[in-house]
Amino acid sequence: MPITTTRRRLLAGSVATLALPAFARAQGAAKPRLTAISQWSAGSDGAAITALGKKFEEKGGVWQHSPVPGFTTEMMNKLRAQIMAGDPPACSQLKGPEIAAWSKIAPTVDLDAVVAAAGYEKVVAPDLAKLHKPAGKWIALPLQIYSTNMLFLSKRALDKAKADKVPVTWAEFNDLAEKMKSGGVNHPVANGGTRPDDGQKFEAALGGISPAAYRAAIMNLDEKALKGPEIKAAFAQVRKIADWMDPNVGAQHFSTNLKRFIDGDMGMMIMGGWAQGVLRNAGFKFEDFVIAPGPSDNSKPVFLLNADAFIFWQRKEADLQAGQTLMAQLVMDPAIQTMYSQITGSIPVRTDVDLSGEGWSEGQRTTAKALKDAIASNQAVLSMAHNMAQENGMTAAMIDVITEYVKNKSIKPEQAATRLAEAVEGAR
């Protein structure tokens, strides 16, 4: 029987939660079943969630996953339609501030007891935990972490440039790009052309120039910071990056050009750690590329944090409640997080997972160390391009400005900074 979520209730902003006792009692009385929606349908993401589903079935559950290919917006449209119809999935992919925003329009499950039983909060970064318990109670569970500003370098492009040193600062990055260009690399910076791709390049530039300015401008939307010199410097760096990209690539997924990257026609790729999983899934070898933290002008790693998570929606059916309990337990399980991250190229949310053994890449170990170092130096910030820093509407307003700037080279950095501040003000 579907949940009795009414349109009036949704619009009124109900934040009711289903507490664990009924949730747990249901587990022993019904065969666990889970209805879930995500945007993960193919490639390493599709392989990872398929593997998770098999684990769910091995535990006796019925796995009913409905992927929505494309970007997060498409997945959200389906989620919105199901909620408005009074038939939300038992859980769905959702992350960042969207968890708090969406929890105001439909009842969610109180996961506090199952989280406490797993000791999960003790092994999750505090800032990340806050996003998943927006009103003080756990309603969503993070599954994997990526840094959006990892730097992937083509070994063949490095050979063409006669370079063997990974750039640490933006000055070193720019110097290597020039060497690649002189060495015959047609496009020293690999690009796809989607909006998140543009957003990632900007956030990597600003975060690398000043994590403090990034936090003030992008996360706290401070007006003075939005008009500050670091924003203009970031746009200036993005202009250099854009000049090294292939102008004939338009609105393509970054994976479209991975062969050109591996072949050395494109040199460096600023991308999330998921690119490792995509590269490996496409048959490329670790010997073909290098993974390193993105440039940071103070030489300490900056970590643009992006964490995928599941939010749990209130359902009355005993089998779905049992499925939610089983899913929550699996998501927090260190063995499941290990399996998932080894498929996708992410790092586990659990800080107690040992990445020294077989199955982990040097890139993942580098990413995990970068996160640890960035937290220690207060340089771990939330990704704007992937809806971790702001809700979807604000993110879209900012990326509109960035994408126009990338495409239209007549716009000056100072003009772009003004437009960004105006866009933020208009979207508040």
Side-chain angles (χ1 to χ4, degrees):
M1 179 179 177
I3 188 172
T4 55
T5 304
T6 65
R7 181 183 179 86
R8 184 167 62 85
R9 190 177 184 184
L10 289 174
L11 295 175
S14 171
V15 293
T17 57
L18 178 67
L20 181 68
F23 187 52
R25 283 197 302 273
Q27 184 180 20
K31 182 180 179 67
R33 179 170 67 91
L34 193 81
T35 53
I37 63 173
S38 78
Q39 67 186 97
W40 303 315
S41 60
S44 55
D45 285 332
I49 197 165
T50 297
L52 175 58
K54 288 181 179 176
K55 293 293 182 184
F56 189 89
E57 291 171 344
E58 288 173 8
K59 295 290 184 181
V62 177
W63 176 257
Q64 297 176 329
H65 174 230
S66 301
V68 184
F71 299 109
T72 307
T73 304
E74 281 78 25
M75 192 281 298
M76 286 183 176
N77 287 340
K78 179 175 175 59
L79 176 60
R80 183 178 293 106
Q82 287 194 223
I83 288 176
M84 294 303 288
D87 185 28
C91 77
S92 63
Q93 175 195 357
L94 208 62
K95 64 184 179 180
E98 295 294 338
I99 291 170
W102 282 74
S103 70
K104 296 175 182 175
I105 65 169
T108 53
V109 176
D110 177 356
L111 299 167
D112 272 6
V114 71
V115 168
Y120 197 51
E121 187 155 1
K122 297 175 184 175
V123 295
V124 177
D127 285 345
L128 193 58
K130 289 177 187 175
L131 288 173
H132 299 82
K133 42 188 289 189
K137 292 184 177 297
W138 287 86
I139 60 171
L141 296 172
L143 171 64
Q144 61 176 349
I145 289 176
Y146 289 110
S147 171
T148 69
N149 62 326
M150 297 304 289
L151 183 61
F152 292 74
L153 299 104
S154 165
K155 284 280 189 69
R156 290 179 188 172
L158 285 171
D159 290 344
K160 289 181 179 179
K162 295 182 172 54
D164 56 8
K165 185 175 181 298
V166 173
V168 174
T169 65
W170 279 116
E172 292 176 1
F173 175 94
N174 296 340
D175 183 59
L176 178 57
E178 291 294 347
K179 287 180 178 175
M180 285 183 171
K181 189 73 178 177
S182 299
V185 178
N186 290 322
H187 306 289
V189 176
N191 58 305
T194 62
R195 287 162 52 79
D197 201 334
D198 296 333
Q200 277 181 241
K201 289 178 171 63
F202 176 80
E203 68 183 12
L206 179 57
I209 290 169
S210 172
Y214 182 95
R215 186 175 285 108
I218 304 301
M219 295 172 60
N220 298 333
L221 302 179
D222 179 82
E223 185 177 358
K224 184 178 178 181
L226 281 163
K227 297 177 179 176
E230 294 89 353
I231 293 285
K232 296 170 187 172
F235 275 115
Q237 178 61 45
V238 170
R239 175 65 69 225
K240 293 178 181 176
I241 290 172
D243 285 343
W244 286 315
M245 300 187 320
D246 184 348
N248 297 314
V249 171
Q252 296 177 359
H253 191 266
F254 79 95
S255 61
T256 306
N257 297 304
L258 287 184
K259 187 174 186 307
R260 294 177 64 188
F261 167 73
I262 293 297
D263 288 345
D265 183 50
M266 292 178 163
M268 295 181 281
M269 179 167 62
I270 299 166
M271 189 50 63
W274 53 82
Q276 172 188 303
V278 177
L279 281 160
R280 296 286 291 153
N281 198 56
F284 299 116
K285 300 176 181 177
F286 285 123
E287 291 77 15
D288 294 325
F289 57 93
V290 175
I291 306 175
S296 168
D297 284 351
N298 64 20
S299 302
K300 298 176 183 175
V302 175
F303 200 101
L304 271 293
L305 197 154
N306 178 31
D308 287 314
F310 288 106
I311 186 170
F312 291 69
W313 301 103
Q314 193 177 124
R315 299 291 307 211
K316 290 185 176 179
E317 301 90 330
D319 59 343
L320 289 179
Q321 291 179 3
Q324 289 173 325
T325 301
L326 177 56
M327 179 65 169
Q329 291 168 339
L330 288 174
V331 167
M332 295 184 289
D333 188 318
I336 296 296
Q337 291 203 359
T338 296
M339 175 199 75
Y340 209 95
S341 288
Q342 288 186 346
I343 294 173
T344 63
S346 64
I347 59 174
V349 170
R350 297 186 64 108
T351 55
D352 59 345
V353 173
D354 181 7
L355 275 63
S356 64
E358 188 176 349
W360 297 103
S361 72
E362 282 305 310
Q364 286 166 301
R365 296 187 186 103
T366 298
T367 304
K369 184 177 185 306
L371 177 59
K372 182 179 179 181
D373 291 348
I375 290 174
S377 57
N378 197 29
Q379 297 202 150
V381 291
L382 299 175
S383 166
M384 174 270 293
H386 291 272
N387 291 321
M388 291 293 290
Q390 298 295 337
E391 294 177 18
N392 198 39
M394 180 62 76
T395 299
M398 290 194 281
I399 292 186
D400 280 347
V401 175
I402 295 165
T403 291
E404 183 181 10
Y405 177 78
V406 169
K407 302 289 188 293
N408 185 350
K409 296 187 178 182
S410 71
I411 302 173
K412 305 298 181 189
E414 295 77 13
Q415 294 172 308
T418 300
R419 291 183 186 187
L420 184 66
E422 291 173 348
V424 167
E425 190 58 33
R428 286 184 195 275

